[in-house]
Amino acid sequence: MDAQQTQDLISVLLDIEADTGGRDDAAMDLYASDALEARRALLSVASDPRTPDIVLASTGESLGQIATRIGCPLTHQERAGLMPEARHEYDDATAFTTGIHADGRPS
């Protein structure tokens, strides 16, 4: 993903006036970006209690996919700051590398 695509997706994701479907699509597509700005935007939205549940889930999943791909999981503090919907999806997305699913069962 090039820098302009990443910025365009971040803009949609952070726009609280954008429709939920567009924000959700942006969150899902950002999994393909290795840009630090993408991770920061996903973290910001995944930690915001005003974010719709479906977008929270997609941000958590994308954060997990990024963490697995680049080998850099969230810090304990970053993970703890995620809203429950995002944390659950993050945990499931990283279960292969951590060995634990969101519900506590081994992978």
Side-chain angles (χ1 to χ4, degrees):
M1 173 176 301
D2 69 32
Q4 186 59 54
Q5 288 173 309
T6 298
Q7 286 305 316
D8 291 346
L9 290 169
I10 289 171
S11 292
V12 172
L13 178 64
L14 296 177
D15 181 359
I16 60 172
E17 301 289 320
D19 75 54
T20 300
R23 292 183 74 201
D24 187 52
D25 288 345
M28 288 189 293
D29 291 347
L30 281 169
Y31 87 93
S33 176
D34 290 335
L36 183 57
E37 298 85 5
R39 183 174 165 138
R40 285 183 184 146
L42 288 163
L43 273 170
S44 173
V45 172
S47 303
D48 186 343
R50 299 169 298 169
T51 302
D53 289 350
I54 191 168
V55 178
L56 287 171
S58 294
T59 58
E61 183 176 3
S62 287
L63 284 165
Q65 291 170 335
I66 292 168
T68 300
R69 185 178 67 249
I70 67 172
C72 184
L74 297 179
T75 66
H76 177 73
Q77 183 177 2
E78 288 170 332
R79 185 186 166 281
L82 299 177
M83 297 302 298
E85 297 86 348
R87 189 176 323 113
H88 179 84
E89 293 299 326
Y90 173 82
D91 289 346
D92 268 0
T94 59
F96 179 75
T97 56
T98 63
I100 300 172
H101 287 275
D103 61 7
R105 64 188 160 85
S107 61

Coordinates of all heavy atoms in Angstrom, one line a residue:
M1 N 0.9 -1.2 0.0 CA 0.0 0.0 0.0 C 0.9 1.2 0.0 O 1.8 1.3 0.8 CB -0.9 0.0 1.2 CG -1.7 1.2 1.4 SD -2.9 1.1 2.8 CE -3.9 -0.3 2.4
D2 N 0.6 2.2 -0.9 CA 1.4 3.4 -0.9 C 1.0 4.4 0.1 O -0.1 4.3 0.7 CB 1.5 4.0 -2.3 CG 0.2 4.6 -2.8 OD1 -0.6 5.1 -2.0 OD2 0.0 4.6 -4.0
A3 N 1.8 5.4 0.3 CA 1.6 6.4 1.3 C 0.3 7.2 1.1 O -0.4 7.5 2.1 CB 2.8 7.4 1.4
Q4 N 0.0 7.5 -0.1 CA -1.3 8.2 -0.4 C -2.5 7.4 0.0 O -3.5 7.9 0.6 CB -1.3 8.7 -1.8 CG -2.5 9.6 -2.1 CD -2.5 10.9 -1.2 OE1 -1.5 11.6 -1.2 NE2 -3.6 11.1 -0.5
Q5 N -2.5 6.1 -0.4 CA -3.6 5.2 0.0 C -3.8 5.1 1.5 O -4.9 5.2 2.0 CB -3.4 3.8 -0.6 CG -3.5 3.7 -2.1 CD -3.1 2.3 -2.6 OE1 -2.0 1.8 -2.2 NE2 -4.0 1.7 -3.4
T6 N -2.7 5.0 2.2 CA -2.7 4.9 3.6 C -3.3 6.2 4.2 O -4.2 6.1 5.1 CB -1.3 4.7 4.2 OG1 -0.8 3.4 3.7 CG2 -1.3 4.7 5.7
Q7 N -2.9 7.4 3.7 CA -3.4 8.6 4.2 C -4.9 8.8 3.9 O -5.6 9.3 4.8 CB -2.6 9.8 3.7 CG -1.2 10.0 4.3 CD -1.3 10.1 5.8 OE1 -2.1 10.8 6.4 NE2 -0.4 9.4 6.4
D8 N -5.3 8.4 2.8 CA -6.7 8.5 2.4 C -7.6 7.6 3.3 O -8.6 8.0 3.8 CB -6.9 8.0 1.0 CG -6.4 9.0 0.0 OD1 -6.0 10.2 0.3 OD2 -6.3 8.6 -1.2
L9 N -7.1 6.4 3.6 CA -7.8 5.5 4.5 C -7.8 6.0 5.9 O -8.9 5.9 6.6 CB -7.2 4.1 4.5 CG -7.4 3.3 3.2 CD1 -6.5 2.0 3.2 CD2 -8.9 2.9 3.0
I10 N -6.7 6.5 6.4 CA -6.7 7.1 7.7 C -7.7 8.3 7.8 O -8.4 8.4 8.9 CB -5.2 7.6 8.1 CG1 -4.3 6.4 8.3 CG2 -5.2 8.5 9.3 CD1 -2.9 6.7 8.4
S11 N -7.7 9.1 6.8 CA -8.7 10.2 6.8 C -10.1 9.8 7.0 O -10.9 10.4 7.8 CB -8.6 11.1 5.5 OG -7.3 11.7 5.5
V12 N -10.5 8.7 6.3 CA -11.9 8.2 6.4 C -12.1 7.6 7.8 O -13.1 7.8 8.5 CB -12.1 7.1 5.3 CG1 -13.5 6.4 5.6 CG2 -12.1 7.8 3.9
L13 N -11.1 6.8 8.3 CA -11.2 6.2 9.6 C -11.4 7.2 10.7 O -12.2 7.0 11.6 CB -10.0 5.3 9.8 CG -9.9 4.6 11.2 CD1 -11.1 3.6 11.3 CD2 -8.6 3.9 11.4
L14 N -10.7 8.3 10.6 CA -10.7 9.3 11.7 C -11.9 10.2 11.6 O -12.1 11.0 12.5 CB -9.4 10.0 11.8 CG -8.1 9.2 12.1 CD1 -6.9 10.1 12.0 CD2 -8.3 8.6 13.5
D15 N -12.6 10.2 10.5 CA -13.7 11.1 10.2 C -14.9 10.6 10.9 O -15.6 9.7 10.4 CB -13.9 11.3 8.7 CG -15.0 12.3 8.4 OD1 -15.7 12.8 9.4 OD2 -15.3 12.5 7.2
I16 N -15.3 11.1 12.1 CA -16.4 10.7 12.8 C -17.7 11.0 12.1 O -18.8 10.5 12.5 CB -16.4 11.1 14.3 CG1 -16.5 12.7 14.4 CG2 -15.3 10.6 15.0 CD1 -16.7 13.2 15.8
E17 N -17.7 11.9 11.1 CA -18.9 12.2 10.3 C -19.1 11.2 9.2 O -20.2 11.2 8.6 CB -18.7 13.6 9.8 CG -18.6 14.7 10.8 CD -19.9 14.9 11.6 OE1 -21.0 14.9 11.0 OE2 -19.8 15.1 12.8
A18 N -18.1 10.4 8.8 CA -18.2 9.5 7.7 C -19.1 8.4 8.1 O -19.3 8.1 9.3 CB -16.8 8.9 7.4
D19 N -19.7 7.7 7.1 CA -20.6 6.6 7.5 C -19.9 5.4 8.1 O -18.7 5.3 7.8 CB -21.5 6.2 6.3 CG -20.8 5.4 5.2 OD1 -20.2 4.4 5.5 OD2 -20.9 5.8 4.0
T20 N -20.5 4.7 8.9 CA -19.9 3.6 9.6 C -19.3 2.6 8.6 O -18.2 2.1 8.9 CB -21.0 2.9 10.5 OG1 -21.4 3.9 11.5 CG2 -20.4 1.8 11.3
G21 N -20.0 2.3 7.5 CA -19.5 1.3 6.6 C -18.2 1.8 6.0 O -17.3 0.9 5.8
G22 N -18.0 3.0 5.7 CA -16.8 3.6 5.1 C -15.7 3.5 6.1 O -14.5 3.1 5.8
R23 N -16.0 3.8 7.4 CA -15.0 3.8 8.4 C -14.5 2.3 8.7 O -13.4 2.0 8.9 CB -15.5 4.4 9.7 CG -15.7 5.9 9.6 CD -16.1 6.5 10.9 NE -15.0 6.5 11.8 CZ -15.1 6.6 13.2 NH1 -16.3 6.6 13.7 NH2 -14.1 6.6 13.9
D24 N -15.5 1.4 8.6 CA -15.2 0.0 8.8 C -14.3 -0.5 7.7 O -13.3 -1.2 7.9 CB -16.5 -0.8 8.9 CG -16.3 -2.3 9.3 OD1 -15.6 -2.5 10.3 OD2 -16.8 -3.1 8.5
D25 N -14.7 -0.2 6.4 CA -13.8 -0.6 5.3 C -12.4 -0.1 5.4 O -11.5 -0.8 5.2 CB -14.5 -0.1 4.0 CG -15.7 -0.9 3.6 OD1 -16.0 -1.9 4.2 OD2 -16.4 -0.4 2.7
A26 N -12.3 1.2 5.8 CA -11.0 1.8 6.0 C -10.2 1.1 7.1 O -9.0 0.8 6.9 CB -11.1 3.3 6.4
A27 N -10.8 0.7 8.2 CA -10.1 0.0 9.3 C -9.7 -1.4 8.8 O -8.5 -1.8 9.1 CB -11.1 -0.2 10.5
M28 N -10.5 -2.0 8.0 CA -10.1 -3.4 7.5 C -9.0 -3.2 6.5 O -8.1 -4.1 6.5 CB -11.3 -4.1 6.8 CG -12.3 -4.5 7.9 SD -13.7 -5.6 7.2 CE -14.5 -4.4 6.1
D29 N -9.0 -2.2 5.6 CA -8.0 -2.1 4.6 C -6.6 -1.7 5.1 O -5.6 -2.0 4.6 CB -8.4 -1.1 3.5 CG -9.6 -1.6 2.7 OD1 -9.9 -2.8 2.7 OD2 -10.2 -0.8 2.0
L30 N -6.6 -1.0 6.3 CA -5.4 -0.5 6.9 C -4.5 -1.7 7.4 O -3.3 -1.4 7.7 CB -5.6 0.5 8.0 CG -5.9 1.9 7.4 CD1 -6.4 2.8 8.6 CD2 -4.7 2.5 6.8
Y31 N -5.0 -2.9 7.5 CA -4.2 -4.0 7.9 C -3.0 -4.2 7.0 O -1.9 -4.7 7.4 CB -5.0 -5.3 7.9 CG -5.0 -6.0 6.6 CD1 -4.1 -7.0 6.3 CD2 -5.9 -5.7 5.6 CE1 -4.0 -7.6 5.0 CE2 -5.9 -6.3 4.4 CZ -5.0 -7.3 4.1 OH -5.0 -7.8 2.9
A32 N -3.1 -3.7 5.7 CA -2.1 -3.9 4.7 C -1.0 -2.9 4.8 O 0.0 -2.9 4.1 CB -2.7 -3.9 3.3
S33 N -1.1 -1.9 5.7 CA -0.1 -0.8 5.8 C 0.9 -1.1 6.9 O 0.5 -1.5 8.0 CB -0.8 0.5 6.0 OG 0.1 1.6 6.2
D34 N 2.1 -0.8 6.6 CA 3.1 -0.9 7.7 C 3.5 0.4 8.2 O 4.4 0.6 9.1 CB 4.4 -1.6 7.1 CG 4.2 -3.1 6.8 OD1 3.3 -3.7 7.4 OD2 5.0 -3.6 5.9
A35 N 2.8 1.5 7.8 CA 3.1 2.8 8.2 C 2.7 3.0 9.7 O 1.6 2.6 10.1 CB 2.3 3.9 7.4
L36 N 3.6 3.6 10.4 CA 3.3 3.9 11.8 C 2.1 4.8 12.0 O 1.3 4.6 13.0 CB 4.5 4.6 12.4 CG 4.5 4.9 13.9 CD1 4.3 3.7 14.8 CD2 5.7 5.7 14.4
E37 N 1.8 5.7 11.1 CA 0.6 6.5 11.1 C -0.7 5.6 11.1 O -1.7 6.0 11.8 CB 0.5 7.5 10.0 CG 1.7 8.5 10.0 CD 2.9 8.0 9.3 OE1 2.9 6.9 8.7 OE2 4.0 8.7 9.4
A38 N -0.7 4.6 10.3 CA -1.8 3.7 10.3 C -2.0 3.0 11.6 O -3.2 3.0 12.1 CB -1.6 2.6 9.2
R39 N -1.0 2.5 12.2 CA -1.1 1.9 13.5 C -1.6 2.9 14.6 O -2.5 2.6 15.4 CB 0.2 1.3 13.9 CG 0.2 0.6 15.3 CD 1.6 -0.1 15.5 NE 1.7 -0.5 16.9 CZ 2.2 -1.7 17.3 NH1 2.7 -2.5 16.4 NH2 2.3 -2.0 18.5
R40 N -1.1 4.1 14.5 CA -1.5 5.1 15.5 C -3.0 5.4 15.3 O -3.8 5.6 16.3 CB -0.7 6.4 15.3 CG 0.7 6.3 15.9 CD 1.4 7.6 15.8 NE 2.7 7.5 16.2 CZ 3.8 8.1 15.7 NH1 3.6 9.0 14.7 NH2 5.0 8.0 16.2
A41 N -3.5 5.6 14.0 CA -4.9 5.9 13.8 C -5.8 4.7 14.2 O -6.8 5.0 14.9 CB -5.1 6.1 12.3
L42 N -5.4 3.5 14.0 CA -6.1 2.4 14.4 C -6.2 2.3 15.9 O -7.3 2.1 16.5 CB -5.5 1.1 13.8 CG -5.7 0.8 12.3 CD1 -4.7 -0.2 11.8 CD2 -7.1 0.4 12.0
L43 N -5.1 2.5 16.6 CA -5.1 2.6 18.1 C -6.0 3.6 18.6 O -6.8 3.4 19.6 CB -3.7 2.8 18.6 CG -2.8 1.6 18.8 CD1 -1.4 2.0 19.0 CD2 -3.3 0.7 19.9
S44 N -6.0 4.8 18.0 CA -6.8 5.9 18.5 C -8.3 5.6 18.4 O -9.1 5.8 19.3 CB -6.5 7.2 17.6 OG -7.4 8.2 17.9
V45 N -8.7 5.0 17.2 CA -10.1 4.7 17.0 C -10.5 3.5 17.9 O -11.6 3.5 18.5 CB -10.4 4.4 15.5 CG1 -11.8 3.9 15.3 CG2 -10.1 5.7 14.7
A46 N -9.6 2.5 18.0 CA -9.9 1.3 18.8 C -10.0 1.6 20.3 O -10.5 0.8 21.1 CB -8.8 0.3 18.6
S47 N -9.5 2.8 20.7 CA -9.6 3.1 22.2 C -10.7 4.1 22.5 O -10.8 4.6 23.6 CB -8.2 3.7 22.5 OG -7.2 2.8 22.3
D48 N -11.4 4.5 21.5 CA -12.4 5.6 21.6 C -13.8 5.0 21.9 O -14.4 4.3 21.1 CB -12.5 6.4 20.4 CG -13.4 7.6 20.5 OD1 -14.2 7.7 21.4 OD2 -13.3 8.5 19.6
P49 N -14.4 5.2 23.1 CA -15.7 4.6 23.4 C -16.8 5.1 22.5 O -17.9 4.5 22.4 CB -15.9 5.0 24.8 CG -15.1 6.2 25.1 CD -13.9 6.0 24.2
R50 N -16.6 6.1 21.7 CA -17.7 6.6 20.8 C -17.6 5.9 19.5 O -18.6 6.0 18.7 CB -17.5 8.1 20.5 CG -17.6 9.0 21.8 CD -17.1 10.4 21.5 NE -15.7 10.4 21.1 CZ -15.0 11.4 20.6 NH1 -15.6 12.5 20.4 NH2 -13.7 11.3 20.3
T51 N -16.7 5.1 19.2 CA -16.5 4.3 18.0 C -17.6 3.2 17.9 O -17.7 2.5 18.9 CB -15.1 3.7 17.9 OG1 -14.2 4.8 17.9 CG2 -14.9 3.0 16.6
P52 N -18.3 3.1 16.8 CA -19.3 2.0 16.7 C -18.6 0.6 16.8 O -17.4 0.4 16.4 CB -19.8 2.2 15.2 CG -19.5 3.6 14.9 CD -18.3 4.0 15.6
D53 N -19.3 -0.3 17.4 CA -18.8 -1.6 17.7 C -18.2 -2.3 16.4 O -17.1 -2.9 16.5 CB -19.9 -2.6 18.2 CG -20.3 -2.2 19.7 OD1 -19.6 -1.3 20.3 OD2 -21.3 -2.8 20.2
I54 N -18.8 -2.2 15.3 CA -18.3 -2.9 14.1 C -16.9 -2.3 13.7 O -16.0 -3.0 13.3 CB -19.3 -2.8 12.9 CG1 -18.8 -3.8 11.8 CG2 -19.5 -1.4 12.4 CD1 -19.9 -4.0 10.8
V55 N -16.8 -1.0 13.9 CA -15.5 -0.4 13.6 C -14.4 -0.8 14.6 O -13.3 -1.0 14.3 CB -15.6 1.2 13.4 CG1 -14.3 1.8 13.1 CG2 -16.6 1.5 12.4
L56 N -14.8 -0.8 15.9 CA -13.9 -1.3 16.9 C -13.4 -2.7 16.6 O -12.2 -3.0 16.7 CB -14.6 -1.3 18.3 CG -14.9 0.0 18.9 CD1 -15.8 -0.2 20.2 CD2 -13.6 0.7 19.3
A57 N -14.3 -3.6 16.2 CA -13.9 -4.9 15.9 C -12.9 -4.9 14.7 O -11.8 -5.6 14.8 CB -15.1 -5.8 15.5
S58 N -13.1 -4.2 13.7 CA -12.2 -4.1 12.5 C -10.9 -3.5 12.9 O -9.8 -4.0 12.4 CB -12.9 -3.4 11.4 OG -14.0 -4.1 10.9
T59 N -10.9 -2.5 13.7 CA -9.6 -1.9 14.1 C -8.8 -2.9 14.9 O -7.6 -3.0 14.7 CB -9.8 -0.6 14.9 OG1 -10.6 -0.8 16.1 CG2 -10.4 0.5 14.1
G60 N -9.4 -3.6 15.8 CA -8.7 -4.6 16.6 C -8.1 -5.7 15.7 O -7.0 -6.1 15.9
E61 N -8.9 -6.2 14.8 CA -8.4 -7.2 13.9 C -7.3 -6.7 13.1 O -6.3 -7.4 12.9 CB -9.6 -7.7 13.0 CG -9.2 -8.8 12.1 CD -10.3 -9.4 11.2 OE1 -11.4 -8.9 11.3 OE2 -10.0 -10.4 10.5
S62 N -7.4 -5.5 12.5 CA -6.3 -5.0 11.7 C -5.0 -4.8 12.6 O -3.9 -5.1 12.1 CB -6.7 -3.7 11.1 OG -7.6 -3.9 10.0
L63 N -5.2 -4.3 13.8 CA -4.0 -4.2 14.7 C -3.4 -5.5 14.9 O -2.1 -5.6 14.9 CB -4.4 -3.5 16.0 CG -4.7 -2.0 15.9 CD1 -5.4 -1.5 17.2 CD2 -3.4 -1.2 15.8
G64 N -4.2 -6.5 15.1 CA -3.6 -7.9 15.3 C -2.9 -8.4 14.1 O -1.8 -9.0 14.2
Q65 N -3.5 -8.2 12.9 CA -2.8 -8.6 11.7 C -1.5 -7.9 11.5 O -0.5 -8.5 11.0 CB -3.8 -8.4 10.5 CG -5.0 -9.3 10.5 CD -6.0 -8.9 9.5 OE1 -6.1 -7.8 9.0 NE2 -6.8 -9.9 9.1
I66 N -1.5 -6.6 11.7 CA -0.2 -5.9 11.6 C 0.8 -6.4 12.6 O 2.0 -6.6 12.2 CB -0.5 -4.3 11.8 CG1 -1.3 -3.8 10.6 CG2 0.8 -3.6 11.9 CD1 -1.9 -2.4 10.9
A67 N 0.4 -6.6 13.8 CA 1.3 -7.0 14.9 C 1.9 -8.4 14.5 O 3.1 -8.6 14.6 CB 0.6 -7.1 16.2
T68 N 1.1 -9.3 14.0 CA 1.5 -10.6 13.6 C 2.5 -10.5 12.4 O 3.5 -11.1 12.3 CB 0.3 -11.5 13.2 OG1 -0.5 -11.6 14.4 CG2 0.8 -12.9 12.8
R69 N 2.1 -9.7 11.4 CA 2.9 -9.6 10.2 C 4.3 -9.0 10.4 O 5.3 -9.5 9.9 CB 2.2 -8.7 9.1 CG 2.9 -8.7 7.8 CD 2.2 -7.9 6.7 NE 2.1 -6.5 7.0 CZ 1.0 -5.8 7.4 NH1 -0.1 -6.5 7.4 NH2 1.0 -4.6 7.6
I70 N 4.3 -7.9 11.2 CA 5.6 -7.2 11.4 C 6.4 -7.7 12.7 O 7.5 -7.3 13.0 CB 5.5 -5.7 11.5 CG1 4.7 -5.2 12.7 CG2 4.9 -5.2 10.2 CD1 4.7 -3.7 12.9
G71 N 5.7 -8.6 13.4 CA 6.4 -9.1 14.6 C 6.5 -8.2 15.8 O 7.4 -8.2 16.6
C72 N 5.6 -7.2 15.9 CA 5.6 -6.2 16.9 C 4.2 -6.0 17.5 O 3.4 -5.2 17.1 CB 6.1 -4.9 16.3 SG 6.3 -3.6 17.5
P73 N 4.0 -6.8 18.6 CA 2.7 -6.7 19.2 C 2.5 -5.4 20.0 O 3.5 -4.7 20.2 CB 2.7 -7.9 20.2 CG 4.1 -8.2 20.5 CD 4.9 -7.8 19.2
L74 N 1.3 -5.1 20.3 CA 1.0 -3.9 21.1 C 1.6 -4.1 22.5 O 1.8 -5.2 23.0 CB -0.5 -3.8 21.3 CG -1.4 -3.5 20.0 CD1 -2.8 -3.4 20.4 CD2 -0.9 -2.3 19.3
T75 N 2.0 -3.0 23.1 CA 2.5 -3.0 24.4 C 1.3 -3.4 25.3 O 0.1 -3.3 25.0 CB 3.1 -1.7 24.9 OG1 2.0 -0.7 24.9 CG2 4.2 -1.2 23.9
H76 N 1.6 -3.8 26.6 CA 0.6 -4.1 27.5 C -0.4 -2.9 27.7 O -1.6 -3.0 27.8 CB 1.2 -4.5 28.9 CG 0.2 -4.8 29.9 ND1 -0.6 -5.9 29.9 CD2 -0.2 -4.0 31.0 CE1 -1.5 -5.8 31.0 NE2 -1.2 -4.7 31.6
Q77 N 0.2 -1.7 27.8 CA -0.6 -0.5 28.0 C -1.4 -0.2 26.8 O -2.6 0.2 26.9 CB 0.4 0.7 28.2 CG -0.3 2.0 28.5 CD 0.6 3.2 28.8 OE1 1.8 3.0 28.8 NE2 0.1 4.3 29.1
E78 N -0.9 -0.3 25.6 CA -1.7 -0.1 24.4 C -2.9 -1.1 24.3 O -4.0 -0.7 24.1 CB -0.9 -0.3 23.1 CG 0.1 0.8 22.9 CD 1.1 0.5 21.8 OE1 1.4 -0.6 21.5 OE2 1.6 1.5 21.1
R79 N -2.6 -2.4 24.6 CA -3.7 -3.4 24.5 C -4.7 -3.1 25.6 O -5.9 -3.3 25.4 CB -3.1 -4.8 24.7 CG -4.1 -5.9 24.6 CD -3.5 -7.3 25.0 NE -4.6 -8.2 25.1 CZ -5.3 -8.3 26.2 NH1 -5.1 -7.6 27.3 NH2 -6.3 -9.2 26.3
A80 N -4.3 -2.7 26.8 CA -5.2 -2.5 27.9 C -6.1 -1.3 27.5 O -7.3 -1.2 28.0 CB -4.5 -2.2 29.2
G81 N -5.7 -0.4 26.7 CA -6.5 0.8 26.4 C -7.5 0.6 25.3 O -8.4 1.4 25.0
L82 N -7.5 -0.6 24.7 CA -8.4 -0.9 23.6 C -9.8 -1.1 24.2 O -9.9 -1.7 25.3 CB -8.0 -2.2 22.9 CG -6.7 -2.2 22.1 CD1 -6.5 -3.6 21.5 CD2 -6.7 -1.1 21.0
M83 N -10.8 -0.7 23.5 CA -12.2 -1.0 23.9 C -12.4 -2.5 23.8 O -11.7 -3.2 23.0 CB -13.2 -0.3 23.0 CG -13.1 1.2 23.1 SD -13.4 1.9 24.8 CE -15.1 1.3 25.1
P84 N -13.3 -3.1 24.6 CA -13.4 -4.6 24.7 C -13.6 -5.3 23.3 O -13.0 -6.3 23.0 CB -14.6 -4.8 25.6 CG -14.6 -3.6 26.5 CD -14.2 -2.5 25.6
E85 N -14.4 -4.7 22.4 CA -14.6 -5.2 21.1 C -13.3 -5.3 20.3 O -13.1 -6.3 19.6 CB -15.7 -4.5 20.3 CG -17.1 -4.5 21.0 CD -17.2 -3.4 22.0 OE1 -16.3 -2.7 22.4 OE2 -18.4 -3.2 22.4
A86 N -12.5 -4.2 20.4 CA -11.3 -4.2 19.7 C -10.3 -5.2 20.3 O -9.5 -5.9 19.6 CB -10.7 -2.8 19.7
R87 N -10.2 -5.2 21.6 CA -9.3 -6.1 22.3 C -9.6 -7.6 22.0 O -8.6 -8.4 21.7 CB -9.3 -5.9 23.8 CG -8.2 -6.6 24.6 CD -8.2 -6.3 26.1 NE -8.6 -5.0 26.4 CZ -9.7 -4.6 27.1 NH1 -10.6 -5.5 27.4 NH2 -9.9 -3.4 27.3
H88 N -10.8 -7.9 22.0 CA -11.2 -9.3 21.6 C -10.7 -9.7 20.2 O -10.1 -10.8 20.0 CB -12.7 -9.5 21.7 CG -13.2 -10.8 21.4 ND1 -13.3 -11.8 22.3 CD2 -13.7 -11.3 20.2 CE1 -13.7 -12.9 21.7 NE2 -14.0 -12.6 20.4
E89 N -10.9 -8.8 19.3 CA -10.5 -9.1 17.9 C -9.0 -9.1 17.8 O -8.4 -9.9 17.0 CB -11.1 -8.1 16.9 CG -12.6 -8.3 16.8 CD -13.1 -9.7 16.3 OE1 -12.4 -10.3 15.4 OE2 -14.2 -10.1 16.7
Y90 N -8.3 -8.2 18.5 CA -6.9 -8.1 18.5 C -6.3 -9.5 19.0 O -5.5 -10.1 18.4 CB -6.4 -7.0 19.3 CG -4.9 -7.0 19.5 CD1 -4.0 -6.5 18.5 CD2 -4.3 -7.6 20.6 CE1 -2.6 -6.5 18.7 CE2 -2.9 -7.6 20.8 CZ -2.1 -7.1 19.8 OH -0.7 -7.2 19.9
D91 N -6.9 -9.9 20.1 CA -6.4 -11.1 20.7 C -6.7 -12.3 19.8 O -5.8 -13.2 19.7 CB -7.1 -11.4 22.1 CG -6.7 -10.4 23.2 OD1 -5.6 -9.7 23.0 OD2 -7.3 -10.3 24.2
D92 N -7.8 -12.4 19.2 CA -8.1 -13.5 18.2 C -7.1 -13.5 17.1 O -6.6 -14.5 16.6 CB -9.5 -13.5 17.8 CG -10.4 -14.4 18.6 OD1 -9.9 -15.0 19.6 OD2 -11.6 -14.5 18.3
A93 N -6.8 -12.3 16.6 CA -5.9 -12.1 15.4 C -4.5 -12.5 15.7 O -3.7 -12.9 14.9 CB -6.0 -10.7 14.8
T94 N -4.1 -12.3 17.0 CA -2.7 -12.7 17.4 C -2.6 -14.0 18.1 O -1.6 -14.4 18.5 CB -2.2 -11.6 18.3 OG1 -3.0 -11.4 19.5 CG2 -2.1 -10.2 17.6
A95 N -3.7 -14.8 18.2 CA -3.7 -16.0 18.9 C -2.7 -17.0 18.3 O -2.1 -17.8 19.1 CB -5.1 -16.7 18.9
F96 N -2.5 -17.0 17.0 CA -1.5 -17.9 16.5 C -0.1 -17.7 17.0 O 0.6 -18.6 17.3 CB -1.5 -17.8 14.9 CG -0.5 -18.7 14.3 CD1 -0.8 -20.1 14.2 CD2 0.6 -18.3 13.8 CE1 0.1 -21.0 13.6 CE2 1.6 -19.1 13.2 CZ 1.3 -20.5 13.1
T97 N 0.2 -16.4 17.2 CA 1.6 -16.1 17.6 C 1.7 -16.1 19.2 O 2.8 -16.4 19.7 CB 2.1 -14.8 17.1 OG1 1.2 -13.7 17.5 CG2 2.2 -14.8 15.6
T98 N 0.6 -15.8 19.9 CA 0.7 -15.8 21.3 C 0.3 -17.1 21.9 O 0.6 -17.4 23.1 CB -0.3 -14.7 21.9 OG1 -1.6 -15.0 21.6 CG2 0.1 -13.3 21.4
G99 N -0.5 -17.9 21.1 CA -0.9 -19.2 21.6 C -2.2 -19.1 22.5 O -2.7 -20.1 23.0
I100 N -2.9 -17.9 22.6 CA -4.1 -17.8 23.4 C -5.1 -17.0 22.6 O -4.9 -16.0 22.1 CB -3.7 -17.1 24.7 CG1 -2.7 -17.9 25.5 CG2 -5.0 -16.9 25.5 CD1 -2.2 -17.2 26.7
H101 N -6.3 -17.6 22.5 CA -7.5 -16.9 22.0 C -8.0 -15.9 22.9 O -7.7 -15.9 24.1 CB -8.6 -17.9 21.6 CG -8.2 -18.7 20.4 ND1 -8.5 -18.3 19.1 CD2 -7.7 -19.9 20.3 CE1 -8.1 -19.2 18.2 NE2 -7.6 -20.2 18.9
A102 N -8.9 -15.0 22.4 CA -9.5 -13.9 23.3 C -10.3 -14.5 24.5 O -10.3 -13.9 25.5 CB -10.4 -13.0 22.4
D103 N -10.8 -15.7 24.3 CA -11.6 -16.3 25.3 C -10.8 -17.1 26.3 O -11.3 -17.8 27.2 CB -12.8 -17.1 24.8 CG -12.3 -18.3 23.9 OD1 -11.1 -18.5 23.8 OD2 -13.1 -18.9 23.3
G104 N -9.4 -17.1 26.1 CA -8.5 -17.7 27.0 C -8.2 -19.2 26.7 O -7.3 -19.7 27.3
R105 N -8.8 -19.7 25.6 CA -8.5 -21.1 25.3 C -7.2 -21.1 24.4 O -6.9 -20.1 23.7 CB -9.6 -21.7 24.5 CG -10.0 -21.1 23.2 CD -11.3 -21.7 22.6 NE -11.8 -20.8 21.7 CZ -11.4 -20.8 20.4 NH1 -10.5 -21.6 19.9 NH2 -11.9 -19.9 19.5
P106 N -6.4 -22.1 24.5 CA -5.2 -22.2 23.7 C -5.5 -22.3 22.2 O -6.5 -22.9 21.9 CB -4.5 -23.5 24.3 CG -5.4 -24.1 25.2 CD -6.6 -23.3 25.4
S107 N -4.5 -21.9 21.4 CA -4.8 -22.0 20.0 C -4.2 -23.3 19.4 O -3.5 -24.0 20.1 CB -4.2 -20.8 19.2 OG -2.8 -20.7 19.4

